Amino acid sequence: MADMIVSFRVMPEDGETDYSVLESKVKETVETYNETVKVKSISEEGVGFGLKAVAIEFRIDETYGSEELENKLAEIPEAGEVNLTKMDRL
């Protein structure tokens, strides 16, 4: 099977959410999802009014897909909306 490049944007639950906590939990959730995940980048994305979202891009074996991981990211207490922003097959 081939690998995929997948990107998510994880919004904070509210304006009081500590960005560094959200970022570390997003990174931990993605890295521990399974052994095929290789994080390519993680960055801060300004969304307006001082809110910062976590933008993460990673490589994963396509047999695992992204829906289950998206659901795990949405379960993070500090996370609000989770959006799939990119999915490309390599």
Side-chain angles (χ1 to χ4, degrees):
M1 287 287 166
D3 283 351
M4 298 185 311
I5 295 292
V6 179
S7 297
F8 285 109
R9 180 175 65 187
V10 182
M11 299 289 292
E13 174 152 74
D14 56 39
E16 302 299 314
T17 301
D18 183 347
Y19 174 81
S20 62
V21 172
L22 178 60
E23 180 182 346
S24 66
K25 288 189 178 183
V26 166
K27 187 174 181 183
E28 178 184 336
T29 300
V30 171
E31 289 178 335
T32 59
Y33 177 63
N34 72 45
E35 69 282 349
T36 70
V37 172
K38 306 282 187 282
V39 174
K40 295 178 64 66
S41 68
I42 187 165
S43 62
E44 179 181 300
E45 185 177 292
V47 292
F49 303 106
L51 285 178
K52 297 180 233 175
V54 177
I56 187 163
E57 182 175 271
F58 55 92
R59 185 175 183 157
I60 187 171
D61 185 310
E62 73 177 354
T63 58
Y64 293 100
S66 65
E67 188 175 348
E68 185 179 340
L69 180 53
E70 184 174 357
N71 292 336
K72 287 185 181 294
L73 290 169
E75 292 172 2
I76 296 172
E78 292 81 8
E81 189 174 317
V82 178
N83 297 305
L84 176 67
T85 56
K86 176 181 174 182
M87 181 184 290
D88 287 328
R89 189 174 187 203
L90 296 177

